[in-house]
Amino acid sequence: AVVTNDQSQVSLDTTLTPELQDEGKMRDLIRDIQGLRKKQGLAQTDTINVITPAYPLQFRQEIINKVGANSLEIGDTLLVTKV
């Protein structure tokens, strides 16, 4: 996308790189985990274990930190349990 006025021009690259796509998947997973936490009546301070079908591996520690997880494992469906 390019925006131009009398004195300047701004150009934005809107290409979705694999890195940006993985970051989006990470954010979606965090939102889903937090939604399950809320649905189960868990507090943000409760430590949880998470099982998920997939996640971007390079964001493993960030996901664990953001959702307060004790563990993050691969499984068939998304599952959140209190430790």
Side-chain angles (χ1 to χ4, degrees), residues 1-13:
V2 177
V3 177
T4 305
N5 68 20
D6 293 339
Q7 292 138 356
S8 60
Q9 177 177 330
V10 176
S11 175
L12 298 175
D13 182 1

Side-chain angles (χ1 to χ4, degrees), residues 3-53:
V3 177
T4 305
N5 68 20
D6 293 339
Q7 292 138 356
S8 60
Q9 177 177 330
V10 176
S11 175
L12 298 175
D13 182 1
T14 57
T15 304
L16 288 178
T17 64
E19 293 82 14
L20 286 174
Q21 291 174 342
D22 283 347
E23 187 174 338
K25 290 174 187 175
M26 174 202 62
R27 292 179 187 278
D28 288 344
L29 177 59
I30 289 170
R31 184 178 59 249
D32 292 344
I33 292 168
Q34 299 296 40
L36 281 177
R37 176 194 288 275
K38 182 177 180 180
K39 187 176 182 179
Q40 294 176 17
L42 300 175
Q44 285 186 341
T45 55
D46 291 335
T47 303
I48 59 174
N49 289 326
V50 177
I51 298 174
T52 183

